[in-house]
Amino acid sequence: MNKLNNLTVKKSLKQKLEEYYKYFDKTKVSPDPLEFPRQYSNLMDIEISAFISSIFAYGNIKQIMKILSSLHRIMNYKPAEFLKEYSDTIGRDLFENIKYRFYSSADIVLLFDVLSLAYKQYGSLEKMFMKNYSEFDTSIKNALELFSLKLLGFAEEIGEVTNGIKFMFPLPSKGSTCKRMNLFLRWMIRNDELDFGIWDKIKTSQLIIPVDTHVAKISKELKLTTLKNPTWKMAEQITDKLKSFDSVDPVKYDFAICHIGMRKIRF
């Protein structure tokens, strides 16, 4: 009897997740930082805008949208062109009065310094990420770790690695959920009405769900995790549970789960 009940609950949860996945289509993106890269059609503009948008995707959604509006306005809504012309001197002038929560204006200048150096050396963040990617890894954990370490290395070469910079480039090995990095990777690798799928050499089954307070809360309520505190282990556990509903693309449910929490929708 218990087995039958468990199957019924599992089926019901999968059906609900599928319904919400379909419900949250491109007409229901707002408010979300994903709105910013969706303004562009050029692949490099999308990648740069997405990376910056994910880096600032924490805190109150109104604050997130406000800072991202400011940053895109400073870039004159041409991220690739802006980065091509960028220099530390330009950054210090443009971002002098711009700061956001854990990020000082110096951190934001250094972020753009790091991005500028990454593009000069690799041509794109995708090429940089792919240097340490393996299709045989069970998840993107190892590639993400080395990607963040490389970015931290660039930051160390150029300036001071503050707590703000460390927060920008988190490490799974330190236990971080790496929510914002996983969010960026979701946008780049998945391909549907919301996500771009422009990094098409990486398997969606290797993605890890971006866990923030909303995703953690809803996931605990849905018994997708037994853990109390958001950690990389929690992100892996939730992803593994979601694989029982879709083994190829488990992270497709992320936007719906997050926005159910954000919008206080009863699941």
Side-chain angles (χ1 to χ4, degrees), residues 186-197:
R186 192 203 93 199
W187 291 347
M188 294 296 93
I189 296 163
R190 291 197 65 259
N191 186 13
D192 63 5
E193 282 201 14
L194 300 181
D195 299 331
F196 300 98

Side-chain angles (χ1 to χ4, degrees), residues 31-34 50-65 67-68 100-103 129 140-141 144-145 147-148 166-189 195 207-217 219 229-236 238-239 251 254-255 257-259 262:
D32 193 272
L34 181 56
F51 189 75
I52 292 165
S53 297
S54 67
I55 289 286
F56 288 84
Y58 69 102
N60 179 280
I61 189 61
K62 288 183 180 177
Q63 293 176 329
I64 294 170
M65 302 305 280
I67 184 65
L68 290 178
Y100 181 73
R101 301 198 71 197
F102 307 145
Y103 304 154
F129 190 88
I140 45 78
K141 180 181 180 180
L144 191 161
E145 174 93 8
F147 182 67
S148 279
K166 290 176 184 175
F167 190 74
M168 287 180 184
F169 310 131
L171 302 170
S173 62
K174 299 289 187 182
S176 171
T177 64
C178 300
K179 177 252 179 172
R180 285 158 290 110
M181 280 291 188
N182 281 323
L183 185 63
F184 171 66
L185 293 173
R186 192 203 93 199
W187 291 347
M188 294 296 93
I189 296 163
D195 299 331
L207 289 169
I208 297 292
I209 192 166
V211 174
D212 60 7
T213 54
H214 301 296
V215 172
K217 181 175 182 292
S219 294
N229 300 315
T231 60
W232 181 265
K233 189 175 178 181
M234 176 188 273
E236 286 183 322
I238 295 169
T239 304
V251 176
D254 171 56
F255 188 90
I257 292 172
C258 180
H259 279 260
M262 277 176 58

Side-chain angles (χ1 to χ4, degrees), residues 35-265:
E35 290 178 62
F36 291 91
R38 284 179 61 83
Q39 296 174 29
Y40 304 103
S41 57
N42 175 275
L43 297 186
M44 191 172 287
D45 283 332
I46 291 170
E47 187 183 82
I48 296 166
S49 173
F51 189 75
I52 292 165
S53 297
S54 67
I55 289 286
F56 288 84
Y58 69 102
N60 179 280
I61 189 61
K62 288 183 180 177
Q63 293 176 329
I64 294 170
M65 302 305 280
K66 184 177 179 182
I67 184 65
L68 290 178
S69 291
S70 296
L71 293 174
H72 283 79
R73 186 168 57 251
I74 288 170
M75 292 189 289
N76 198 27
Y77 306 100
K78 296 175 181 178
E81 187 176 308
F82 178 81
L83 205 59
K84 191 175 181 182
E85 304 293 328
Y86 182 81
S87 69
D88 184 76
T89 304
I90 289 171
R92 290 184 186 283
D93 181 48
L94 292 175
F95 300 120
E96 183 180 8
N97 298 311
I98 305 291
K99 57 185 177 180
Y100 181 73
R101 301 198 71 197
F102 307 145
Y103 304 154
S104 66
S105 59
D107 290 336
I108 295 171
V109 171
L110 187 52
L111 166 64
F112 280 88
D113 287 341
V114 166
L115 273 176
S116 178
L117 185 55
Y119 274 89
K120 281 174 184 171
Q121 286 202 17
Y122 291 94
S124 73
L125 294 179
E126 180 186 14
K127 288 177 182 175
M128 180 176 160
F129 190 88
M130 292 301 294
K131 286 287 182 184
N132 296 297
Y133 167 75
S134 170
E135 63 178 309
F136 302 109
D137 287 342
T138 54
S139 79
I140 45 78
K141 180 181 180 180
N142 183 60
L144 191 161
E145 174 93 8
L146 295 170
F147 182 67
S148 279
L149 281 172
K150 187 66 179 177
L151 292 167
L152 284 168
F154 282 153
E156 203 167 51
E157 283 178 36
I158 301 164
E160 182 187 357
V161 178
T162 63
N163 287 333
I165 293 297
K166 290 176 184 175
F167 190 74
M168 287 180 184
F169 310 131
L171 302 170
S173 62
K174 299 289 187 182
S176 171
T177 64
C178 300
K179 177 252 179 172
R180 285 158 290 110
M181 280 291 188
N182 281 323
L183 185 63
F184 171 66
L185 293 173
R186 192 203 93 199
W187 291 347
M188 294 296 93
I189 296 163
R190 291 197 65 259
N191 186 13
D192 63 5
E193 282 201 14
L194 300 181
D195 299 331
F196 300 98
I198 58 176
W199 290 16
D200 58 4
K201 297 178 182 67
I202 301 172
K203 294 184 285 189
T204 54
S205 60
Q206 293 174 299
L207 289 169
I208 297 292
I209 192 166
V211 174
D212 60 7
T213 54
H214 301 296
V215 172
K217 181 175 182 292
I218 298 297
S219 294
K220 282 186 272 190
E221 289 174 5
L222 297 179
K223 296 185 171 28
L224 296 173
T225 181
T226 56
L227 301 173
K228 290 184 179 180
N229 300 315
T231 60
W232 181 265
K233 189 175 178 181
M234 176 188 273
E236 286 183 322
Q237 192 177 75
I238 295 169
T239 304
D240 285 342
K241 286 282 188 180
L242 293 176
K243 281 184 179 179
S244 67
F245 304 135
D246 192 324
S247 60
V248 174
D249 190 14
V251 176
K252 76 180 192 182
Y253 304 111
D254 171 56
F255 188 90
I257 292 172
C258 180
H259 279 260
I260 285 166
M262 277 176 58
R263 304 180 197 199
K264 296 179 170 43
I265 297 171

